[in-house]
Amino acid sequence: MALPDNKKFFENLSGGGKAIAVLTSGGDAQGMNAAVRAVVRMGIYVGAKVYFIHEGYQGMVDGGENIKEASWESVSSMLQVGGTVIGSARCKEFRARDGRLKAAHNLVQHGITNLCVIGGDGSLTGANLFREEWSGLLAELVEQGLIDEEAAQRYSALHIVGMVGSIDNDFCGTDMTIGTDSALHRIIEVVDAIMTTAQSHQRTFVLEVMGRHCGYLALVSALACGADWVLIPEMPPEDGWEDKMCQKLSATRSRGSRLNIIIVAEGALDRHGKPITSSIVKDLVVRCLGFDTRVTILGHVQRGGTPSAFDRILASRMGVEAVMALLETTANTPAYVVSLCGNQSVRLPLMECVQMTQEVQKAMDEKRFEEAVKLRGRSFENNLKTYKLLAHRKPESDLPVSNFNVAVLNVGAPAAGMNAAVRSAVRVGISEGHKMFAVNDGFEGFYKGQIREIKWADVGGWTGQGGSLLGTKRTLPAKHVEKIAEQMRIHNINALLVIGGFEAVECLLQLYDARTRCEEFCIPMCMLPATISNNVPGTDLSIGADTALNAIVETCDRIKQSASGTKRRVFIIETMGGYCGYLASVGGLAAGADAAYIYEEPFDIRDLQANVEHLTDKMKTGIQRGLVLRNENSNDNYTTDFIYQLYSEEGKGVFDCRKNVLGHMQQGGAPSPFDRNFGTKIAAKAMQWITKKLTETYRQGRVFANTEDSCCLLGMRRRALVFQPVVQLKDETDFVHRIPKEQWWLKLRPLMKILAKYKTTFDVSDSGQLEHVVRIRPKDLDASTV
């Protein structure tokens, strides 16, 4: 994809002469190192001097060796490291003006007037206070004779940009904070392991997760593993919750389940402000039900380990955005915080976010719990609504009776998260009063009559299962339209939910065209995108792609580590994806690749030669390992073997090469927390849309829907979930290569190149713009945040 020339970028945003310092403060979080790396490399890329401040604000106050200039090589091999390699510390001294005076003196001595702070709301609030006091601090330093008037004039303004590093995701204004996704990975790994032992012994497990003031980790992990009960500080249970919880656990066991999972946030309270601890919950279950119950307190294991692919990409994007924000600041610019909204980077006024975060706690303290949930943001609110919808089964007598039959099937290749989506669809459908039918083996199973009713209990434990438990085939329906219509008559199918990849789009288009011949297809039909390739038009993200990215990144980490202590080595890795370069490009950004070859960005022998020379130069500076990714269909002639042989020959005497084809390992494994959560939420939303369409199109004793908007794909577009008629997606689809004509992630490719030390064009038009936290958003019945 051709990007605009970056001459204007360097004219207007040149970092020449500027000094940027980066520090991490407060608690550590996985992904902080990726953010530090991105700040350092983007800063150096635009010509600024970049400094590390070791040990957070304590290092800024102490000065000396704690403030060191960073080089390109000093951030090598830190992308995959958890925690923060530049250190973090609580600093009482900085809270006092005398401490901030020392810090200001130390910064002026290095000419630093641009600060990038990675931490929680306390760290960012301290940074903003420091910025506001800056001119007064410099005046005091002049009075004391520590600096002269010229220095005070030259360094008259301090600019601050924040990035939130916190596993709790407790900062308003961003959908995700750095470290949250990795913490969810640690929790879900433990839950998956516990579930096997719990089933073996018919046990109840009470898991305590972090979240003293925010229940995000508890809520999303409960949603991702299908926990029986969750306790969070934002929404304390109603009085009498003890009996309700025990009734729920007992009912689950009576239906044949061999385990119960209860997740408790460490800050969980009841309606009267009394703490609800994991030990209290355990004693309650043992006393009332006599179940064999165990407690697991995860503690700091949630903070540890390697950052997930999501956190590496998020932190890298935020780090680059933070440098751009610092270069654009003026004397009147407020302190920014770089945030994520949907899949978009935005800049928000720091203190607006801090005040909103404090409002949440105030609402909780004043027992305004509904308001506290709303203040957390629509993402948190939607998670809570979806959990309630799926976890608490209503008695049969309380369910509405719709008399509608809805069929669910998977199409195309398996993708991790499909089963979570099916579970969600089945349970929401039953809650809406529908009779749910499962179709095995896609449309091939459909025309063969492999259709059965599926109940609430049938999908228990499906969220953590990889692959497709329903079975899936690539068979398209066009050749079997009459047989499929016959099966729909036999089972009186009134709506279809299709979960799959590019084939699913083709299937819905064929069924839409068949409406003129068979009235059986004049029903609401909805498709959910599920493919590791992330090549479905109409959506920025697909179920399964995040799990595949994590598989690629974990493998690349291991491959790079295998060369530790050996001579210089370059690895050539082939990824899946068909003609779509998403996995190679975004996986390359997350793994720290030096190059990623894809179909969407044509390359020739001159590009390959330039990449080899670039790697040769890097190796001579002391870097030991190189990583090159190639999408499987990026070029018919420049195959993985060809590139391997070219690099091996041209790199002789400097580095040797190894190659690896990742293959189907990218398609397997347990789904990531993101894919479980994403699949669960969009399936719930799809079923609610289907219910609405069934009601609208039911006339004279039958369902009849033949408009474009009754055959839709539900996808994530920028910041919202949007239903789009599949026929309207034709014009934006390359059917020959099975990819969308426009792909948002191509704008991330320059980031990978910049962070790998290539001079490249950079599209600043896609940089985050200043927004405000409190704003009226247009209401859209067919759109909501993820």
Side-chain angles (χ1 to χ4, degrees):
M1 182 184 71
L3 294 173
D5 184 71
N6 63 344
K7 184 179 179 183
K8 186 179 177 183
F9 173 71
F10 285 110
E11 285 175 356
N12 296 338
L13 301 181
S14 173
K18 288 203 174 189
I20 298 171
V22 58
L23 71 145
T24 53
S25 178
D28 65 311
Q30 307 98 316
M32 280 184 164
N33 289 324
V36 170
R37 171 181 177 267
V39 169
V40 170
R41 292 195 167 177
M42 187 63 179
I44 293 171
Y45 182 80
V46 297
K49 275 190 173 185
V50 187
Y51 291 86
F52 291 137
I53 299 179
H54 292 272
E55 310 306 331
Y57 287 118
Q58 190 65 57
M60 196 191 296
V61 171
D62 294 342
E65 286 297 303
N66 290 303
I67 303 176
K68 291 182 179 176
E69 187 173 352
S71 67
W72 193 277
E73 289 73 27
S74 63
V75 291
S76 295
S77 303
M78 66 189 287
L79 189 61
Q80 66 270 26
V81 179
T84 165
V85 298
I86 61 173
S88 180
R90 312 281 179 187
C91 181
K92 287 184 181 178
E93 219 175 331
F94 189 76
R95 295 177 187 173
R97 186 178 172 85
D98 284 349
R100 294 192 289 276
L101 190 67
K102 290 179 186 176
H105 185 218
N106 289 327
L107 293 189
V108 169
Q109 284 182 315
H110 289 87
I112 297 167
T113 55
N114 297 277
L115 269 187
C116 186
V117 181
I118 308 166
D121 61 336
S123 302
L124 299 182
T125 303
N128 189 63
L129 176 61
F130 190 40
R131 180 186 72 92
E132 289 173 345
E133 291 181 344
W134 183 257
S135 58
L137 293 170
L138 293 195
E140 200 169 328
L141 289 172
V142 171
E143 282 178 25
Q144 294 180 10
L146 295 172
I147 63 172
D148 56 30
E149 284 286 354
E150 185 187 345
Q153 287 294 320
R154 192 185 313 146
Y155 307 120
S156 59
L158 178 68
H159 303 297
I160 301 285
V161 172
M163 288 182 274
V164 189
S166 166
I167 68 165
D168 293 335
N169 203 32
D170 57 353
F171 192 81
C172 291
T174 185
D175 289 347
M176 290 286 271
T177 56
I178 296 168
T180 303
D181 187 68
S182 300
L184 285 170
H185 273 258
R186 300 297 91 78
I187 294 168
I188 294 304
E189 285 163 11
V190 171
V191 172
D192 285 351
I194 278 174
M195 287 177 86
T196 56
T197 184
Q199 285 180 324
S200 301
H201 297 278
Q202 282 194 282
R203 280 183 177 148
T204 296
F205 269 88
V206 183
L207 268 74
E208 183 180 301
V209 302
M210 283 185 167
R212 193 171 297 120
H213 304 293
C214 178
Y216 185 88
L217 289 179
L219 177 59
V220 174
S221 54
L223 197 58
C225 72
D228 296 280
W229 203 268
V230 65
L231 294 156
I232 59 173
E234 290 88 348
M235 187 54 70
E238 300 285 350
D239 289 345
W241 65 273
E242 298 92 341
D243 291 337
K244 289 180 182 176
M245 185 185 76
C246 290
Q247 287 169 11
K248 167 81 189 301
L249 299 179
S250 182
T252 304
R253 283 289 176 94
S254 68
R255 289 193 291 269
S257 175
R258 294 178 60 84
L259 79 155
N260 300 112
I261 300 286
I262 303 165
I263 297 182
V264 184
E266 62 178 330
L269 304 167
D270 66 15
R271 292 269 157 172
H272 308 287
K274 184 181 175 184
I276 303 174
T277 65
S278 51
S279 58
I280 287 173
V281 175
K282 177 203 167 182
D283 293 343
L284 174 67
V285 174
V286 172
R287 185 175 68 252
C288 296
L289 299 174
F291 290 172
D292 185 4
T293 307
R294 299 286 190 274
V295 171
T296 298
I297 299 173
L298 298 189
H300 281 72
V301 71
Q302 295 158 88
R303 285 194 190 278
T306 300
S308 66
F310 183 97
D311 270 329
R312 298 184 198 195
I313 296 158
L314 173 67
S316 297
R317 291 179 69 185
M318 282 186 168
V320 169
E321 185 66 38
V323 172
M324 289 178 61
L326 284 172
L327 295 178
E328 290 178 337
T329 52
T330 65
N332 300 319
T333 305
Y336 289 135
V337 62
V338 178
S339 298
L340 179 77
C341 190
N343 68 350
Q344 302 293 300
S345 290
V346 296
R347 299 175 195 171
L348 301 173
L350 172 58
M351 291 316 294
E352 281 187 23
C353 297
V354 169
Q355 285 160 13
M356 181 72 82
T357 304
Q358 291 168 349
E359 279 294 317
V360 178
Q361 189 59 51
K362 186 180 177 184
M364 288 160 60
D365 292 341
E366 294 174 359
K367 296 183 170 54
R368 292 180 282 118
F369 300 116
E370 295 285 348
E371 190 178 339
V373 169
K374 285 188 181 343
L375 287 168
R376 279 278 182 234
R378 285 194 295 179
S379 178
F380 188 94
E381 193 177 6
N382 288 341
N383 281 323
L384 186 57
K385 285 179 181 175
T386 307
Y387 177 77
K388 287 179 176 178
L389 201 61
L390 295 171
H392 302 294
R393 183 182 183 184
K394 295 177 183 175
E396 297 284 343
S397 56
D398 293 348
L399 289 174
V401 180
S402 72
N403 294 318
F404 292 127
N405 295 345
V406 181
V408 182
L409 66 158
N410 295 336
V411 174
M418 275 183 163
N419 298 320
V422 171
R423 169 187 176 271
S424 176
V426 167
R427 291 196 169 179
V428 173
I430 291 170
S431 296
E432 300 276 344
H434 309 318
K435 190 179 281 189
M436 300 300 296
F437 287 83
V439 182
N440 295 114
D441 297 336
F443 281 103
E444 185 173 313
F446 210 133
Y447 81 79
K448 290 179 179 177
Q450 295 170 206
I451 305 167
R452 60 185 171 84
E453 186 179 353
I454 187 165
K455 304 276 192 175
W456 186 283
D458 295 336
V459 291
W462 278 33
T463 50
Q465 299 290 316
S468 166
L469 293 173
L470 287 184
T472 180
K473 294 283 179 71
R474 297 180 185 271
T475 306
L476 300 180
K479 294 180 181 177
H480 312 285
V481 162
E482 300 295 340
K483 290 181 180 178
I484 293 169
E486 183 185 353
Q487 291 298 328
M488 292 181 76
R489 284 194 299 273
I490 292 169
H491 295 280
N492 189 27
I493 301 300
N494 306 117
L496 273 183
L497 180 64
V498 181
I499 303 168
F502 197 89
E503 292 90 351
V505 177
E506 296 177 305
C507 289
L508 254 64
L509 285 169
Q510 291 178 4
L511 294 181
Y512 180 84
D513 290 340
R515 282 176 168 179
T516 55
R517 290 179 286 145
C518 302
E519 285 193 354
E520 286 80 5
F521 300 116
C522 293
I523 59 173
M525 294 185 280
C526 186
M527 175 205 156
L528 303 181
T531 168
I532 69 165
S533 302
N534 200 34
N535 64 330
V536 176
T539 187
D540 293 344
L541 295 172
S542 300
I543 299 166
D546 183 71
T547 305
L549 274 179
N550 277 287
I552 291 167
V553 169
E554 287 167 16
T555 306
C556 288
D557 285 352
R558 292 185 183 188
I559 286 170
K560 286 198 293 185
Q561 192 181 50
S562 72
S564 179
T566 65
K567 59 183 179 180
R568 299 184 186 99
R569 183 165 287 169
V570 173
F571 296 94
I572 316 294
I573 311 292
E574 182 184 299
T575 68
M576 293 176 81
Y579 285 96
C580 180
Y582 177 82
L583 291 179
S585 296
V586 182
L589 178 60
D594 295 280
Y597 301 117
I598 62 171
Y599 166 77
E600 293 91 341
E601 196 173 282
F603 57 96
D604 57 25
I605 194 67
R606 290 179 293 276
D607 297 309
L608 292 170
Q609 184 62 33
N611 292 151
V612 173
E613 290 171 359
H614 182 80
L615 267 169
T616 302
D617 291 341
K618 282 181 71 174
M619 293 289 179
K620 289 175 180 176
T621 65
I623 291 174
Q624 295 293 310
R625 295 181 295 279
L627 181 68
V628 175
L629 271 61
R630 178 189 174 273
N631 168 243
E632 59 183 348
N633 288 346
S634 56
N635 190 289
D636 290 339
N637 297 310
Y638 299 134
T639 62
T640 302
D641 282 336
F642 178 91
I643 293 172
Y644 163 70
Q645 289 167 6
L646 175 70
Y647 272 69
S648 296
E649 181 62 30
E650 297 296 319
K652 272 184 181 176
V654 179
F655 59 80
D656 65 359
C657 278
R658 296 289 186 274
K659 66 175 177 178
N660 198 304
V661 178
L662 300 186
H664 282 74
M665 65 164 294
Q666 297 159 85
Q667 215 162 31
S672 68
F674 181 92
D675 279 331
R676 298 184 197 200
N677 192 22
F678 185 46
T680 297
K681 283 199 285 189
I682 65 169
K685 188 169 180 64
M687 284 307 303
Q688 290 170 330
W689 177 87
I690 284 173
T691 299
K692 180 186 165 193
K693 288 294 179 187
L694 284 169
T695 305
E696 289 174 355
T697 58
Y698 185 71
R699 298 287 183 274
Q700 299 177 336
R702 61 172 289 195
V703 173
F704 186 81
N706 66 347
T707 55
E708 286 185 1
D709 67 353
S710 63
C711 182
C712 284
L713 176 146
L714 173 55
M716 181 181 173
R717 279 287 176 96
R718 294 174 72 86
R719 306 182 186 186
L721 290 175
V722 184
F723 291 94
Q724 299 151 96
V726 289
V727 291
Q728 292 179 15
L729 297 175
K730 282 183 177 180
D731 292 340
E732 55 187 84
T733 305
D734 176 351
F735 283 95
V736 175
H737 298 101
R738 299 161 60 86
I739 54 174
K741 290 178 182 176
E742 295 290 331
Q743 303 189 83
W744 69 272
W745 51 264
L746 285 167
K747 292 182 178 179
L748 298 182
R749 283 184 63 80
L751 301 191
M752 184 192 73
K753 293 176 182 178
I754 287 168
L755 298 178
K757 213 174 184 178
Y758 285 92
K759 285 292 178 186
T760 184
T761 52
F762 189 74
D763 186 2
V764 295
S765 66
D766 196 48
S767 64
Q769 301 302 311
L770 175 63
E771 297 184 4
H772 293 276
V773 186
V774 186
R775 61 188 185 279
I776 305 299
R777 298 188 187 188
K779 290 186 178 178
D780 185 344
L781 290 173
D782 285 344
S784 68
T785 52
V786 179

